[in-house]
Amino acid sequence: MSQNPPHQHRSGNLTLHLGKEELVVRQRYETTSIANDVLIAVWFLIGSIMFFSSEWTRTGTWCFVFGSVELLIRPVIRLTRQLHIQKMRGGTRGMTASDQDY
């Protein structure tokens, strides 16, 4: 599957030509990435609130550990998406700025 290079119109709009399958793949990974980011925020928020009480400190620490694991998952999502898209294209493309969007 080939991708035409992006071009810019006089109005300053950027037009990208992506295949339908690639667009679906990108949207799925973006949704997964957003859900992961929400989980990161939830774990750290709950952990922070739990630290206000000494009885909840241990549980709050576990929330921070879970949030840290979610932070580790974030680059795994990006790498998996990059490899998936390269496989769809036959592996002939390097990483571009748009590949770093999430």
Side-chain angles (χ1 to χ4, degrees):
M1 175 178 302
S2 69
Q3 177 184 6
N4 297 332
H7 60 279
Q8 225 167 359
H9 298 282
R10 289 185 182 174
S11 65
N13 294 332
L14 181 66
T15 304
L16 297 173
H17 299 280
L18 303 171
K20 182 181 178 186
E21 296 85 12
E22 183 173 339
L23 190 58
V24 169
V25 167
R26 285 180 181 271
Q27 288 172 344
R28 286 181 183 163
Y29 282 102
E30 182 177 11
T31 301
T32 303
S33 181
I34 291 168
N36 185 64
D37 287 350
V38 169
L39 285 173
I40 292 168
V42 168
W43 287 124
F44 279 98
L45 179 62
I46 291 172
S48 297
I49 292 169
M50 287 181 173
F51 262 72
F52 285 122
S53 170
S54 59
E55 296 89 33
W56 287 98
T57 301
R58 184 179 181 119
T59 306
T61 301
W62 278 107
C63 287
F64 289 135
V65 170
F66 296 145
S68 297
V69 169
E70 293 291 330
L71 284 172
L72 183 62
I73 290 171
R74 175 188 255 178
V76 171
I77 293 169
R78 290 178 53 201
L79 179 62
T80 304
R81 178 190 62 128
Q82 180 67 26
L83 294 173
H84 191 162
I85 290 172
Q86 281 182 354
K87 183 178 176 184
M88 288 175 55
R89 292 181 175 175
T92 59
R93 178 180 165 266
M95 192 178 292
T96 65
S98 67
D99 293 327
Q100 299 295 321
D101 55 357
Y102 52 88

